[in-house]
Amino acid sequence: MVKLQALGVLLLAGMVLGCSVSRPAAKKPASQTHRYSSRAVNYYLAGALYDFQYLYKEALVEYYNALGQDSTSAQILKAIGRTLVRLEQYEKAVQYLERSLQVNPRDRETLYYLAEVHFKLKNTEKSLLYYERLLDLDPYNATAQANLIYIYTRSGQTDKLISLRERLIDIYGYEEDSVYQLLSLYMQTRQLERAGKLIRSLLNEYPREPAHWMIYGNLLEMQSDTSAAINAYKMALELDPQNSQALTQIYQLYFYQRDWPGMVSTFGNIVSKNASGERARLFLAEGYFYLEDLPKARETLAPLLNKGDFRAHALLLMGRIAVSENLLDEARQHFRDLLAVDPRNSRAWEYLAVLHYQDRQYRECVEVLTEALLHFPDETRLLSLYGNALQQMGKLSDALVPLRRAYALDSGDINTIVALAVVYDELQMYSALDSLYQAALERYPENALLLNNYGYSLAERGIQLERALAMARAALGQDPDNAAYLDTMGWIYYQMGDYRKALEFIRRAVSGAEQSAEVLEHLGDVYLKLGQEEDARLYWQKALERDPGNETLKNKLRQDASDSQ
């Protein structure tokens, strides 16, 4: 035991002796020399041995005994605090650690334990204080760095986080992760000038790293410098020809700028260098499509139609090309081929359903959408189109279900609002109709279609005609030659009894390119009110030719014939 104690004294004397208040070396009167207690050392060493064996309670007893012999030892106070931390007695640990720090304010281990304990006690500000002091003493302390980054991030102290990230770059240089993290912070906080300076410095150090050019392109996009951003992405692509993200970023920039010539030029050059590049070929074909060079678009797409990762995209684009050329049967086949490859392509289902709808093939449209909604039960556009098709088939109650669902998913979708309003109107659900229009017009107070349709609904019901007239005027002010809007104005005047005004607007509506049965019927009604029965009969007959199953028109013509006899 004597040998062990002696050895311990030799190994740990420096620790223990260094635990009391340290002062600069100087000659002192002999009476002021601090005499260290050998008993304190022995107790401390015994506690340390227990510590090594993970016997923390036993260690704590010995450390308390040591403190009884030397109450000013920073090392003993720290040992007690550290052991209390291990025993998860955090509040008591803080007391001893803070006493230790008062004695030795530059002790890194004490600062670390204080920071950790306060973090566990959720005293974030104090935890930060001690970690910051620790990092000032030891700038290379990885634990302090990581924990400060974590706390700054969690607590939203972005300025301090940026300052720390800058400090780490000064210490370690242009380490990729640190630079990327700092760049991200600069860009999040819109400190674009500082971000630009940093990324340019990085590019000077590592000019042949594609990822750096990608980040530079992102920054230039944020600065709305589209041309420079495209050039940055091109540089990334030159360094890494397989960089799909660079290709996509270039495509998106051309697309949002509607720069179809630029798209064709850039991707044409890429394809000429690498004809097997499928993604670039697809983007080139799309550029030709938007330039309305459809033969060139077809030629470019052809190699992608039968195989490869982009076959589904190629079939979709080829279907759109066929639609533009009015080759609807071909378009439908492309969309069906696409769905055979990828039944979860919502756009293919939608395009196929729309083609049936536009051809008035409502039953086929409903069949397509019934299958599509098995894959996409909450797709607003599909639900809305489904409701529209059911309404056109006269299945008004059935149409309510998908239209209400679509409205619940997206109450701002104009197509859904209009379709649902039509169904409410035809079912005479006027309370729901009025609520729907009120909510829609609060959201879109200047939407011409909503203003016109609600004005027409009020006119049909013969209520709030002045309000209806104001809405119809507002709609017509936005689109003065719109036949439907002209008809609405005329019909409101008709309901107000001003038949001359009604004639003025409805005749203008009829003079348009498309003459609907409803507008022709209205003109006949106006002529009847003006006593011009022959003209009335003429336009009713024209209306019936466009809508042969309209019983109302048949009755009007029969009544007119009866009155003429």
Side-chain angles (χ1 to χ4, degrees), residues 194-239:
R194 296 171 78 178
K197 183 178 179 181
L198 178 58
I199 189 61
R200 283 189 290 272
S201 297
L202 187 64
L203 285 168
N204 286 335
E205 290 281 332
Y206 308 103
R208 299 196 61 77
E209 176 53 57
H212 300 165
W213 287 102
M214 292 297 296
I215 294 173
Y216 190 37
N218 292 161
L219 173 63
L220 292 166
E221 281 193 63
M222 293 181 70
Q223 295 174 319
S224 300
D225 193 344
T226 303
S227 296
I230 289 173
N231 287 333
Y233 294 134
K234 284 180 178 179
M235 181 61 74
L237 200 59
E238 184 177 315
L239 294 168

Side-chain angles (χ1 to χ4, degrees), residues 457-513:
S457 174
L458 293 174
E460 280 283 271
R461 288 181 270 165
I463 61 173
Q464 302 182 47
L465 295 179
E466 290 294 340
R467 182 185 180 195
L469 190 62
M471 288 191 287
R473 279 202 188 104
L476 200 57
Q478 296 181 47
D479 190 355
D481 297 321
N482 187 299
Y485 299 173
L486 288 164
D487 177 64
T488 296
M489 280 288 289
W491 197 241
I492 294 169
Y493 279 122
Y494 177 91
Q495 296 288 58
M496 297 173 78
D498 190 340
Y499 304 121
R500 289 293 173 188
K501 275 281 189 185
L503 181 64
E504 174 189 340
F505 283 99
I506 297 177
R507 282 180 65 179
R508 285 174 59 194
V510 168
S511 67

Side-chain angles (χ1 to χ4, degrees), residues 380-381 384-385 406-407 409-419 443-444 450:
T380 304
R381 293 195 305 274
S384 185
L385 184 57
Y407 184 72
L409 290 167
D410 183 2
S411 60
D413 184 76
I414 294 294
N415 290 330
T416 301
I417 293 168
V418 170
R443 189 166 188 167
Y444 306 112
L450 293 175

Side-chain angles (χ1 to χ4, degrees), residues 52-282:
F52 296 152
Q53 301 171 70
Y54 307 106
L55 299 171
Y56 300 129
K57 291 182 180 179
E58 291 81 352
L60 191 60
V61 171
E62 298 299 334
Y63 289 145
Y64 279 140
N65 288 335
L67 189 64
Q69 301 300 316
D70 186 351
S71 62
T72 63
S73 168
Q75 188 70 19
I76 295 171
L77 289 164
K78 178 174 69 175
I80 293 172
R82 182 181 60 226
T83 306
L84 288 167
V85 170
R86 291 166 177 167
L87 292 170
E88 299 184 0
Q89 298 180 35
Y90 300 127
E91 297 284 358
K92 290 180 68 176
V94 167
Q95 298 174 23
Y96 286 95
L97 290 168
E98 288 183 344
R99 284 175 61 188
S100 175
L101 197 65
Q102 288 175 3
V103 178
N104 186 4
R106 296 179 63 80
D107 187 89
R108 299 171 187 179
E109 188 181 12
T110 306
L111 287 166
Y112 168 76
Y113 276 112
L114 278 168
E116 286 288 295
V117 170
H118 279 299
F119 184 77
K120 290 179 183 295
L121 292 172
K122 302 188 185 305
N123 298 329
T124 306
E125 289 302 318
K126 285 193 173 182
S127 180
L128 279 177
L129 171 67
Y130 290 118
Y131 275 131
E132 287 167 349
R133 286 177 61 180
L134 174 57
L135 199 63
D136 286 339
L137 290 172
D138 183 4
Y140 292 90
N141 190 301
T143 300
Q145 294 166 2
N147 290 349
L148 281 171
I149 287 170
Y150 175 79
I151 296 172
Y152 287 151
T153 303
R154 288 291 300 271
S155 58
Q157 299 187 51
T158 308
D159 289 343
K160 285 191 172 183
L161 182 58
I162 288 174
S163 178
L164 177 57
R165 289 286 186 190
E166 290 171 338
R167 185 176 176 183
L168 294 180
I169 288 176
D170 289 340
I171 292 172
Y172 298 114
Y174 290 106
E175 288 190 352
E176 190 172 86
D177 182 65
S178 292
V179 172
Y180 286 177
Q181 293 291 343
L182 182 56
L183 280 169
S184 177
L185 287 167
Y186 282 151
M187 291 163 81
Q188 287 172 21
T189 55
R190 307 294 297 182
Q191 298 183 50
L192 303 185
E193 187 174 333
R194 296 171 78 178
K197 183 178 179 181
L198 178 58
I199 189 61
R200 283 189 290 272
S201 297
L202 187 64
L203 285 168
N204 286 335
E205 290 281 332
Y206 308 103
R208 299 196 61 77
E209 176 53 57
H212 300 165
W213 287 102
M214 292 297 296
I215 294 173
Y216 190 37
N218 292 161
L219 173 63
L220 292 166
E221 281 193 63
M222 293 181 70
Q223 295 174 319
S224 300
D225 193 344
T226 303
S227 296
I230 289 173
N231 287 333
Y233 294 134
K234 284 180 178 179
M235 181 61 74
L237 200 59
E238 184 177 315
L239 294 168
D240 178 12
Q242 304 305 315
N243 192 323
S244 61
Q245 185 60 38
L247 280 171
T248 301
Q249 291 295 117
I250 294 169
Y251 161 78
Q252 288 178 346
L253 286 172
Y254 282 129
F255 183 88
Y256 293 136
Q257 295 290 319
R258 299 294 189 265
D259 183 1
W260 315 128
M263 183 183 289
V264 166
S265 173
T266 294
F267 290 112
N269 185 48
I270 293 170
V271 170
S272 69
K273 294 177 181 177
N274 179 15
S276 63
E278 295 182 348
R279 189 184 301 268
R281 178 174 289 278
L282 179 69

Side-chain angles (χ1 to χ4, degrees), residues 292-306:
E292 300 182 9
D293 189 346
L294 303 184
K296 201 70 175 171
R298 281 181 174 275
E299 178 188 337
T300 305
L301 272 183
L304 305 179
L305 288 175
N306 297 319

Side-chain angles (χ1 to χ4, degrees), residues 286-297:
E286 191 164 338
Y288 283 130
F289 172 74
Y290 287 119
L291 280 176
E292 300 182 9
D293 189 346
L294 303 184
K296 201 70 175 171

